[in-house]
Amino acid sequence: MEFGLSEEQDLLQETVRQFVSEQCPPTQLHAIFDAGEGHAPALWQGVAELGLCGLMLPEEYGGADLEVLDLALVCEELAYGGLPGPFMMHSLAAHAIARAGDSDQRGRHLPALADGSAIATLALAEGEGAWRPEFWSTRSEGGVLHGTKRFVPHADLSDWIVVGLSDGRLALVEKGAAGLTVVPEEGIDRTRPIGRLEFEGTPCEVLEGDGAVLERIGDVGLTLLAADAFGSASRLIDLAVEYTKTREQFGRKVAEFQAVKHQLARLALEIEPTRALFWYAAHAVDHRPDEGPRSAALAKSHISDRAIQAGREVVELHGGIGFTWECDVHLWLKRIMFDRAFLGTPESLRERCAELEGW
Amino acid sequence: MDLEYSEEHRAYREAVLEFLKGWPLQGEEANLPEAEREALFRQRGIDAGYVYRNVPKKYGGAGEPADPLRDAIVREEFFRVGAPWDLLNQGAGMLVPTLLEFGTEEQKRRFIPKALTGAERWCQGYSEPGSGSDLASLQCRAELDGDEFVINGQKIWTSNANEAHWMFGLFRTEPQARKHAGISYLLVDMSTPGVEVRPLREMTGGSEFNEVFFNDARVPVTNRVGEAGGGWAVSRATLIHERNLIGNPNMMRDCFEDLLTLARKTQRGGRPAIEDPHIRQRLIEIEGYVRTVETSNMLQFSATVRGDALKAMRPMMMNKLYSTDTMQRIQRCAYDLLDGEGMLAPSAEDITGWGRNTSSTGWVEAYLFSLGPAIAGGASNIQLNIIGERGYGLPRDARPPEKT
Ligand SMILES: Cc1cc2nc3c(=O)[nH]c(=O)nc-3n(C[C@H](O)[C@H](O)[C@H](O)COP(=O)(O)OP(=O)(O)OC[C@H]3O[C@@H](n4cnc5c(N)ncnc54)[C@H](O)[C@@H]3O)c2cc1C
């Protein structure tokens, strides 16, 4: 039994961490956050040059053919650095095409997605947050789409949109297609802007894979979101450690007060051990099909919920400055608010965990 | 114990209800701008003896004889219909009671009437970049030069400073005195040359608090409230009023009602969330806290009326933390009900701070905003220290020797 990372995986994380800390320091992150586009071409270029855009895509199309765990480890590091941009959704959408597309579709789309010259995203949710096809009404008839999708990340930016259909299949829509309207919604996480998509007779390619692909995309997505929330919460803890070690009140560092030390240790206690939870989920999604869906839902519901509480505590530990827009803290708190809601809130996922177990 | 009101107080409530038939305004008056409508009705309330009951007439209040039960009746009924009542801002809510207690006759006549109407708005200049929880370490200097103070230094987190006409604040006037003894409470005209306000932005997207810089700003010595070096004691009085504002039970009740409305209109598994057993458990648990705030408030109130406030000391010093924690429970539950819309950002209209919440994005704002009161007016850890040290006599943290 070995539940640890390989040398390559350690190296991958180190490389990504170094890249983000050098290329996207907090000053730049704030600038991108404020601008609200959630994208910086140079950063995307950098991500592409590291070979991350096609991490899970087959080698024959320029991908690295790695696993969910590798992708999750990258997501953790990108989140730790707060990197804005479409990485996670792009990876999921590309994976969907790789799994559900026929060889012609794969050949046409994957190479550009693998080298990052094209960007893809996912359009799933309908209504106030229905993430499963039973509750969708978007459908394809005679090669055109009808319906509305919400909370679509980077909707404006993406060259390709993978759309979930009510019959459980997926369809591919090109940017600027006829009958496609993108209505931006003001998202809380300005590093990953979201929009509403309206399809009125929009031409699409249906991907031939069955509903199993959509399920898999959901499981992979939950795992990546869990990793993202974990990375974000880890950053928040480090911010609080750094701040309380320098901030002085009553003639001493506030970290010297045992109350502060314990508050910090408590919130770290809720986060640090959960690293194993998302690792396990990532591994299970690839290698333990019986456990994958439930592990992914459990990891994402648990970690995102704990992370959001940690974020709130970290605001408090910063005092007045923690409540400001200029402070780094809210960038990660809001990132977690995205992670928490995307693909289902903790409450709805817990419900699903119980159902999957037949309770 | 007898929860029934006396004949006299029942009749009083009837009169209040009768008076409140005049709100909202009717006819021509209904078309006035909102601020004018409120000012008009507030003045009627003062004239009728319902608003600013405890502020003497000569300073612009109603000047009614002290009767806490009548206060409570008025407050309850005015809140119920949302009629303009005492302003609960820094001026009317914090400065006025402080001046009534410590101000000179001239200060009272000069400042109270306009604070009551809101014609002059106030901000509270206590915190500094280096002095928050440890407020008494503040460094912003006010040096006496003839019959003026010359102020140099900085305040921060000053809510509403950008729209305030005046600041009440703490300044170091006797640098040679020990920490707490060197501070005076001064009133500063914000239009004084050398006072500069720079707005800060909050993480909710709002822009309420500010930095205030002083560069040789001159303030007449007559604007000192209380003794030279006696500002700490004066500020403690203001602080009690601030904590009471933060712990206002009416506000909490409104917020809880808004949560129930949300639970009724949100669907869970094909039915309203309020019918979901898990949500019901949480709602009732929260109601336990809300009702505790309300009933504890009644207890503290009666103890005070009897002159027995000492007996209610512990719950009194718990009010602020208990309230901000309860508010956070409400916000958290609402946020959990939001689903995908929990990842939307508040729009400009949603940024209401304490205000009512009717939309998803309004709740997102409230969820973020509720962290603010947990820090302002004494952070939660400081409240815990107060409860432990003053409420239960636990030894204080050992502190390094004071620098003077
Ligand atoms: C929304 C908002 C509005 C405000 N409005 C005003 C205003 O109008 N006027 C004004 O003067 N100020 C205002 N403030 C400032 C507020 O009073 C201070 O932020 C607060 O007192 C905390 O001080 P600080 O920010 O310096 O944090 P710090 O004192 O630096 O505290 C940082 C952290 O250390 C902890 N800590 C500090 N000392 C101890 C200890 N002894 N034991 C354990 N833990 C400790 C705190 O709990 C906190 O978590 C406002 C603040 C907010 C958030």
Side-chain angles (χ1 to χ4, degrees):
Chain A
M1 203 302 281
E2 164 64 31
F3 188 61
L5 303 184
S6 67
E7 265 174 47
E8 290 80 8
Q9 287 167 327
D10 283 337
L11 185 65
L12 176 65
Q13 283 205 293
E14 251 168 63
T15 312
V16 175
R17 178 175 291 222
Q18 199 182 345
F19 163 75
V20 194
S21 74
E22 281 169 9
Q23 302 300 313
C24 187
T27 43
Q28 204 198 337
L29 174 54
H30 275 283
I32 299 171
F33 191 91
D34 289 354
E37 279 162 27
H39 179 61
L43 289 175
W44 181 249
Q45 181 70 29
V47 169
E49 278 163 14
L50 287 175
L52 301 177
C53 295
L55 211 63
M56 279 212 309
L57 296 180
E59 272 174 18
E60 53 177 315
Y61 301 112
D65 218 0
L66 294 177
E67 302 192 342
V68 178
L69 178 56
D70 304 286
L71 192 53
L73 295 171
V74 170
C75 284
E76 178 200 342
E77 290 303 341
L78 295 179
Y80 185 87
L83 192 90
F87 179 77
M88 187 194 291
M89 297 308 144
H90 172 84
S91 304
L92 286 170
H95 186 56
I97 297 169
R99 288 287 173 122
D102 57 28
S103 65
D104 168 55
Q105 287 164 327
R106 287 149 48 132
R108 274 189 292 124
H109 298 299
L110 295 186
L113 295 173
D115 69 19
S117 55
I119 295 175
T121 191
L122 269 185
L124 300 178
E126 296 187 11
E128 285 175 7
W131 297 95
R132 301 189 55 78
E134 309 81 286
F135 305 105
W136 296 343
S137 56
T138 300
R139 62 194 196 287
S140 146
E141 268 166 22
V144 296
L145 278 188
H146 293 276
T148 300
K149 291 287 182 185
R150 289 189 74 191
F151 314 125
V152 180
H154 303 284
D156 268 331
L157 172 73
S158 301
D159 303 292
W160 296 97
I161 303 156
V162 173
V163 184
L165 305 179
S166 59
D167 61 9
R169 290 184 305 164
L170 297 164
L172 198 56
V173 171
E174 191 168 4
K175 179 182 193 161
L180 165 63
T181 315
V182 180
V183 186
E185 295 198 82
E186 196 66 32
I188 192 79
D189 176 8
R190 296 168 68 85
T191 67
R192 293 178 291 188
I194 50 180
R196 192 173 74 232
L197 300 190
E198 287 161 9
F199 304 103
E200 287 166 287
T202 309
C204 69
E205 293 180 49
V206 173
L207 302 173
E208 283 315 319
D210 61 11
V213 178
L214 181 61
E215 292 295 328
R216 165 143 178 116
I217 295 307
D219 297 340
V220 177
L222 291 172
T223 309
L224 301 187
L225 288 160
D228 197 276
F230 179 85
S232 301
S234 306
R235 179 57 171 260
L236 285 166
I237 292 170
D238 287 355
L239 288 175
V241 167
E242 214 176 296
Y243 187 75
T244 56
K245 271 164 57 178
T246 45
R247 172 69 174 169
E248 282 190 25
Q249 288 291 279
F250 304 103
R252 58 179 59 181
K253 313 286 181 215
V254 294
E256 289 179 51
F257 293 111
Q258 197 171 48
V260 169
K261 236 179 303 201
H262 283 188
Q263 197 177 351
L264 224 157
R266 269 266 156 231
L267 75 91
L269 185 74
E270 291 280 7
I271 301 298
E272 181 54 37
T274 65
R275 182 193 300 277
L277 197 62
F278 88 77
W279 282 10
Y280 190 90
H283 181 77
V285 166
D286 272 332
H287 299 285
R288 301 189 158 215
D290 294 352
E291 290 179 54
R294 198 162 180 277
S295 302
L298 189 67
K300 141 89 166 148
S301 59
H302 189 77
I303 297 176
S304 67
D305 206 12
R306 297 284 82 86
I308 212 162
Q309 283 310 306
R312 292 175 68 87
E313 296 263 343
V314 170
V315 171
E316 283 201 48
L317 281 166
H318 279 71
I321 200 144
F323 198 61
T324 63
W325 190 272
E326 288 84 74
C327 186
D328 294 344
V329 172
H330 79 114
L331 305 180
W332 277 276
L333 174 61
K334 289 171 180 176
R335 190 172 179 111
I336 298 169
M337 287 166 82
F338 177 104
D339 293 335
R340 171 196 167 276
F342 202 82
L343 291 183
T345 57
E347 303 218 342
S348 62
L349 292 172
R350 288 179 184 131
E351 189 60 39
R352 184 164 147 72
C353 286
E355 276 168 18
L356 283 171
E357 202 64 6
W359 293 356
Chain B
M1 189 169 295
D2 177 6
L3 290 180
E4 293 307 316
Y5 285 91
S6 67
E7 190 69 46
E8 178 211 331
H9 283 111
R10 285 207 297 274
Y12 186 75
R13 188 185 296 275
E14 288 307 315
V16 173
L17 288 171
E18 189 57 35
F19 175 78
L20 284 173
K21 287 186 180 153
W23 182 261
L25 300 182
Q26 304 291 323
E28 290 279 285
E29 289 175 354
N31 301 322
L32 292 170
E34 186 180 351
E36 283 179 43
R37 270 182 283 139
E38 293 189 354
L40 185 65
F41 190 81
R42 183 168 291 115
Q43 190 55 51
R44 284 183 191 155
I46 295 172
D47 296 341
Y50 299 136
V51 176
Y52 299 125
R53 286 176 37 79
N54 300 312
V55 179
K57 268 208 164 73
K58 59 177 172 177
Y59 308 133
E64 291 288 309
D67 183 342
L69 274 177
R70 290 191 174 203
D71 291 347
I73 290 168
V74 171
R75 181 188 175 113
E76 214 174 282
E77 297 303 339
F78 272 61
F79 261 83
R80 206 193 303 280
V81 298
W85 187 63
D86 297 18
L87 287 169
L88 300 175
N89 57 16
Q90 289 95 329
M94 300 187 217
L95 174 78
V96 169
T98 309
L99 281 184
L100 284 174
E101 195 174 342
F102 295 96
T104 62
E105 185 56 28
E106 268 142 284
Q107 287 169 341
K108 291 180 197 170
R109 285 183 186 275
R110 164 63 189 86
F111 295 113
I112 295 180
K114 288 187 172 160
L116 294 183
T117 59
E120 284 179 348
R121 287 186 298 273
W122 287 79
C123 63
Q124 178 192 40
Y126 287 5
S127 308
E128 296 179 9
S131 306
S133 298
D134 183 15
L135 184 59
S137 68
L138 61 92
Q139 295 299 324
C140 192
R141 300 193 314 284
E143 279 163 300
L144 204 53
D145 177 26
D147 54 5
E148 288 180 324
F149 288 109
V150 183
I151 305 186
N152 280 290
Q154 187 196 342
K155 294 290 172 184
I156 198 169
W157 321 129
T158 323
S159 301
N160 311 110
N162 51 341
E163 49 186 42
H165 305 96
W166 285 84
M167 167 190 282
F168 57 89
L170 294 178
F171 301 89
R172 192 156 293 284
T173 50
E174 340 288 304
Q176 68 295 341
R178 285 184 65 242
K179 200 169 165 181
H180 294 77
I183 295 170
S184 295
Y185 189 104
L186 306 183
L187 310 179
V188 183
D189 183 341
M190 295 297 279
S191 66
T192 309
V195 177
E196 191 201 334
V197 177
R198 288 187 212 152
L200 293 165
R201 192 160 178 218
E202 287 110 51
M203 67 169 181
T204 57
S207 196
E208 269 212 340
F209 59 29
N210 304 268
E211 294 180 285
V212 183
F213 296 89
F214 299 89
N215 193 353
D216 285 336
R218 293 185 161 262
V219 173
V221 72
T222 48
N223 281 10
R224 190 187 64 221
V225 180
E227 300 297 311
W232 189 255
V234 180
S235 76
R236 294 297 90 184
T238 318
L239 194 64
I240 290 169
H241 297 297
E242 176 176 14
R243 289 184 183 154
N244 286 340
L245 287 182
I246 292 179
N248 179 344
N250 300 84
M251 215 125 64
M252 182 160 327
R253 172 52 67 175
D254 284 352
C255 195
F256 183 64
E257 294 294 336
D258 289 344
L259 171 63
L260 295 181
T261 305
L262 179 71
R264 286 195 183 96
K265 74 171 196 220
T266 306
Q267 292 289 309
R268 270 292 155 98
R271 55 184 180 169
I274 201 163
E275 292 173 18
D276 177 314
H278 167 65
I279 300 295
R280 290 158 85 89
Q281 287 285 325
R282 282 185 72 182
L283 290 173
I284 302 296
E285 183 182 11
I286 291 170
E287 193 181 353
Y289 284 100
V290 173
R291 282 300 285 157
T292 299
V293 169
E294 290 171 338
T295 51
S296 173
N297 206 264
M298 286 162 63
L299 180 154
Q300 294 168 40
F301 172 78
S302 286
T304 312
V305 174
R306 277 197 316 269
D308 228 3
L310 226 49
K311 278 201 182 137
M313 249 358 230
R314 281 178 181 164
M316 277 181 191
M317 62 179 63
M318 292 173 178
N319 282 341
K320 198 236 162 190
L321 183 56
Y322 203 90
S323 302
T324 53
D325 273 2
T326 303
M327 283 300 252
Q328 293 207 37
R329 281 175 214 277
I330 298 175
Q331 314 294 12
R332 171 85 211 263
C333 182
Y335 190 67
D336 285 345
L337 285 171
L338 286 192
D339 233 324
E341 296 191 340
M343 64 181 131
L344 295 181
S347 67
E349 304 89 76
D350 295 320
I351 300 178
T352 56
W354 301 107
R356 306 292 300 250
N357 299 302
T358 49
S359 64
S360 300
T361 45
W363 280 111
V364 172
E365 189 261 350
Y367 182 62
L368 292 173
F369 176 83
S370 62
L371 288 166
I375 299 165
S380 297
N381 282 347
I382 301 304
Q383 301 301 314
L384 290 169
N385 279 349
I386 292 173
I387 294 166
E389 293 169 3
R390 289 193 221 143
Y392 292 85
L394 301 181
R396 286 171 167 255
D397 277 341
R399 283 181 187 160
E402 281 181 17
K403 293 174 244 157
T404 49

